[in-house]
Amino acid sequence: MSDRRVRVRFAPSPTGTLHIGGVRTALYNYLFAHKLGGDFILRIEDTDQNRFVPGAEAYIMEALNWLGINPTESPIHGGPHAPYRQSERKEMYRAYAEQLLQSGHAYYAFDTPEELEDMRTKLTAAKVASPQYNAVTRNSMKNSVTLSEDDVKRRLDAGEPYVIRMKLPRQEEVRFHDIIRGWILVQTQNMDDKVLFKSDGMPTYHLANVVDDYLMKITHVIRGEEWLPSAPLHVLLYRYLGWEEVMPQFAHLPLILKPDGNGKLSKRDGDRLGFPVAPLNWKDPLTGDTTSGYREKGYYPEAVLNFLCMLGWNPGTTQEMFSLEELIEQFSLERVSKAGAKFDFEKAKWFNHQYLLKHSDSELASEFMPLVQAAGFDRSMEYVTTVVSLVKERANFVNDFMEHARFFFEAPSSWDEATLGKKWKPETQGILEGWRDALINTDDYSAAALEAASKAYLESIGVGIGQVLQAFRILITGLPAGPSMFEVCALLGKEEVGARFSKALEFTQSRFA
RNA sequence: GGCCCGUUCAUCUAGGGGUUAGGAUACAAGAUUUUCAUUCUUGGUACAGGGGUUCGAUUCCCCUACGGGCUACCA
């Protein structure tokens, strides 16, 4: 067992978007596999035909690809254990259910949904602590434990719908080791005879999962904590199938919780709180519901990975910024924390800002250029590069650039009157008109020269720059804050500065005179 | 309700029998930028509660509280 090649799998159901918690599970699997030189497998768990959503599988593939954590084996990459969709493996599960039937660890059950409902309501009414289909109650239900062999055969031959249930011992302790949580003990009296094989001929998660992990030679099962309660069942399945020797090791990850209130993070929280909980935009083809994604919001995949990884894991040092390569090198399941983590959207933005700042101005300009063009502006790459260098500090996303930089592309159509009014004094109009003239008469349009010319002018009339700088800014950009005004004017050029000045001064004249 | 898992600053977390309980984000103050942002400095707030064990518990054990997950012919 210990010398087996490490093989892990990410096994989502194609029921909609990939939730951000699922992305983290995929990431941890990926990191673990690469750290140990093993294989990372994507298996699509689509045994529930009712929940199948077209496009969901492609979405998962695209998301993993965007993040750069591609599997080595998958439905589209193929691999030695294909197929990797459970619906296409349907025929394989039957034999294992039969094996369990043979060895007495499973039985046929013919109960209708109404009968099951009945059983549960009766037990609840009788104040039974946990109503379940188990070693006690199965004796009063319609199954191959209570029915005669002939009766069972007759029903099967007649094509009566049935399921195959696991036959759990009445009282037995199941213990297994979880890499993150240590030893877990559960009594079979608290578990029930789970359905392994559904009446539609499909296995349930439990059977399919164990069979596939065995067949695909999975060595470590790294999955969300929501699976912890059924892990003992899986352990028993390995035992009854005779595979205990090669049973994978388990690692149940803590959940990602809502930033406010209680409960695990859900798709709805994203819309409610205004941040994405999915990697990519998604529109449900059935309901038409849309979910926004990190990619479209403007996040870098590296930032998402970095942020997600730190939610529930840490390297034991103070390092926070990690490349994928560094994560692979440093990751270990032992350092995954046990408690659920509340999602911190502010920190996610901070991470993106850090990654944004790591890009060079020319890289950022290339990223920003399509948005510039989409807004209908035609500027050189050189111009855009300078713009980007002036606004990048105050943006978390390239998508935010335009909001800070619009005035570099077109003259303001309005001016921040509230702020202007506060700063405005009777003499302001004259001071600014003089400033305009000074700048119009300057030929050297470097930021340094403009600063020198401006200061010389203001000094000559005995005015401190602080008294009029903000008004100046608003006249040129429309906004009360932004990059250095001398840099702004240098980039805009004499003609544009003069034009903006004149137009704005007309406005202030009529507005404040 | 039952079963299982968990609980260190507002949030993510480090630490793990003897520490001024550390870092990051957020927040606040100051410096720089005569703007904003960046950057720098500083600041405040945390071991859920109660019992043990121990010379000594945030750290180990038990109980309680709280939080979370599961409790389907869903995964």
Side-chain angles (χ1 to χ4, degrees):
Chain A
M1 163 96 200
S2 56
D3 54 359
R4 287 203 294 163
R5 178 182 174 87
V6 166
R7 287 172 60 80
V8 298
R9 84 294 192 284
F10 175 52
S13 292
T15 56
T17 79
L18 231 199
H19 180 274
I20 206 71
V23 174
R24 192 192 55 175
T25 302
L27 173 61
Y28 284 2
N29 271 284
Y30 176 93
L31 294 176
F32 185 78
H34 284 261
K35 164 124 188 166
L36 280 324
D39 304 315
F40 172 49
I41 294 135
L42 174 71
R43 186 174 70 219
I44 298 296
E45 309 227 325
D46 55 351
T47 53
D48 184 2
Q49 258 117 16
N50 302 319
R51 295 214 308 161
F52 177 81
V53 176
E57 181 188 315
Y59 177 96
I60 291 166
M61 296 295 314
E62 193 184 345
L64 296 183
N65 185 53
W66 177 63
L67 290 160
I69 51 174
N70 284 301
T72 39
E73 297 168 31
S74 80
I76 65 150
H77 295 87
H81 300 281
Y84 290 89
R85 276 183 208 102
Q86 289 185 329
S87 57
E88 293 169 12
R89 302 170 67 80
K90 186 176 177 182
E91 301 313 318
M92 312 174 68
Y93 306 112
R94 176 94 225 175
Y96 298 100
E98 297 285 355
Q99 183 187 330
L100 258 9
L101 246 15
Q102 298 287 298
S103 60
H105 292 300
Y107 57 90
Y108 293 106
F110 301 96
D111 315 281
T112 64
E114 295 72 32
E115 288 166 333
L116 288 171
E117 177 95 3
D118 252 29
M119 181 265 280
R120 288 183 187 119
T121 50
K122 269 179 198 150
L123 288 176
T124 308
K127 299 267 195 283
V128 171
S130 52
Q132 41 186 220
Y133 204 122
N134 61 18
V136 176
T137 54
R138 68 171 163 249
N139 292 125
S140 50
M141 301 300 285
K142 240 188 320 173
N143 52 49
S144 58
V145 175
T146 57
L147 268 21
S148 72
E149 215 168 301
D150 286 349
D151 194 358
V152 170
K153 189 170 186 316
R154 205 199 70 238
R155 286 168 187 266
L156 292 176
D157 290 345
E160 188 172 319
Y162 67 90
V163 299
I164 297 174
R165 282 182 182 273
M166 190 162 173
K167 190 175 181 183
L168 293 184
R170 168 140 193 206
Q171 209 168 55
E172 197 177 301
E173 184 177 88
V174 183
R175 57 188 257 139
F176 67 96
H177 183 79
D178 184 280
I179 296 173
I180 295 169
R181 286 152 211 286
W183 288 100
I184 310 272
L185 301 179
V186 183
Q187 307 295 330
T188 53
Q189 57 198 295
N190 294 320
M191 299 163 59
D192 58 5
D193 290 356
K194 284 277 183 251
V195 170
L196 298 177
F197 212 82
K198 300 185 273 190
S199 57
D200 66 359
M202 276 291 207
T204 58
Y205 171 86
H206 306 293
L207 212 221
N209 185 262
V210 166
V211 166
D212 284 343
D213 284 347
Y214 168 75
L215 259 18
M216 294 181 178
K217 303 191 180 337
I218 298 301
T219 56
H220 302 262
V221 168
I222 304 168
R223 71 216 321 181
E225 191 183 357
E226 69 267 30
W227 292 111
L228 198 51
S230 45
L233 191 80
H234 303 162
V235 170
L236 251 20
L237 235 21
Y238 279 101
R239 185 174 301 163
Y240 297 155
L241 255 2
W243 302 335
E244 217 171 358
E245 289 299 298
V246 291
M247 183 173 79
Q249 286 188 257
F250 293 100
H252 288 92
L253 270 19
L255 267 13
I256 297 179
L257 277 14
K258 296 177 198 294
D260 63 338
N262 313 317
K264 68 173 171 178
L265 189 66
S266 73
K267 286 164 190 151
R268 294 250 171 262
D269 294 318
D271 303 326
R272 185 170 61 82
L273 274 5
F275 61 81
V277 292
L280 321 173
N281 275 359
W282 164 256
K283 179 169 183 192
D284 192 302
L286 275 23
T287 63
D289 289 348
T290 58
T291 309
S292 68
Y294 279 87
R295 185 228 259 156
E296 289 79 3
K297 191 87 182 172
Y299 279 83
Y300 292 116
E302 305 91 305
V304 174
L305 247 27
N306 199 150
F307 165 68
L308 235 34
C309 191
M310 302 305 285
L311 216 50
W313 173 85
N314 74 83
T317 66
T318 56
Q319 183 178 355
E320 286 202 289
M321 299 289 291
F322 289 93
S323 65
L324 229 206
E325 291 67 35
E326 289 173 310
L327 286 176
I328 289 169
E329 190 184 316
Q330 302 208 26
F331 185 77
S332 78
L333 287 173
E334 286 75 15
R335 292 203 65 91
V336 171
S337 46
K338 298 182 179 71
K342 282 189 179 168
F343 190 89
D344 184 357
F345 188 52
E346 288 304 322
K347 190 108 184 217
K349 285 197 285 198
W350 178 82
F351 268 108
N352 203 257
H353 188 235
Q354 297 306 308
Y355 277 89
L356 186 141
L357 260 21
K358 285 176 133 186
H359 289 216
S360 70
D361 289 345
S362 61
E363 285 170 327
L364 291 173
S366 307
E367 295 166 40
F368 185 39
M369 187 57 103
L371 300 180
V372 171
Q373 288 166 344
F377 304 121
D378 178 25
R379 292 301 148 91
S380 70
M381 190 57 90
E382 192 190 350
Y383 187 90
V384 173
T385 303
T386 308
V387 170
V388 151
S389 73
L390 294 174
V391 302
K392 65 176 180 183
E393 292 289 358
R394 61 208 86 221
N396 288 324
F397 309 100
V398 172
N399 287 351
D400 287 350
F401 282 1
M402 191 53 88
E403 162 189 335
H404 298 280
R406 185 153 222 112
F407 60 83
F408 281 112
F409 302 101
E410 64 182 0
S413 51
S414 66
W415 300 269
D416 181 345
E417 283 184 53
T419 309
L420 218 39
K422 260 182 260 172
K423 300 277 172 182
W424 207 263
K425 293 193 182 104
E427 65 274 22
T428 309
Q429 181 81 17
I431 298 171
L432 289 166
E433 282 171 7
W435 198 346
R436 173 197 54 191
D437 297 342
L439 294 186
I440 285 175
N441 293 323
T442 304
D443 287 322
D444 183 352
Y445 255 65
S446 67
L450 289 172
E451 181 167 2
S454 298
K455 284 183 171 164
Y457 159 68
L458 291 168
E459 203 170 315
S460 73
I461 59 168
V463 172
I465 192 170
Q467 295 168 45
V468 286
L469 183 71
Q470 196 173 28
F472 171 48
R473 173 185 298 286
I474 292 172
L475 262 39
I476 302 300
T477 69
L479 305 173
S484 158
M485 279 312 291
F486 306 113
E487 298 282 1
V488 170
C489 291
L491 188 58
L492 253 22
K494 184 194 281 199
E495 212 174 301
E496 181 69 14
V497 169
R500 288 191 187 190
F501 240 133
S502 298
K503 188 178 170 204
L505 285 168
E506 269 174 43
F507 162 75
T508 54
Q509 175 75 329
S510 63
R511 177 72 177 73
F512 296 111

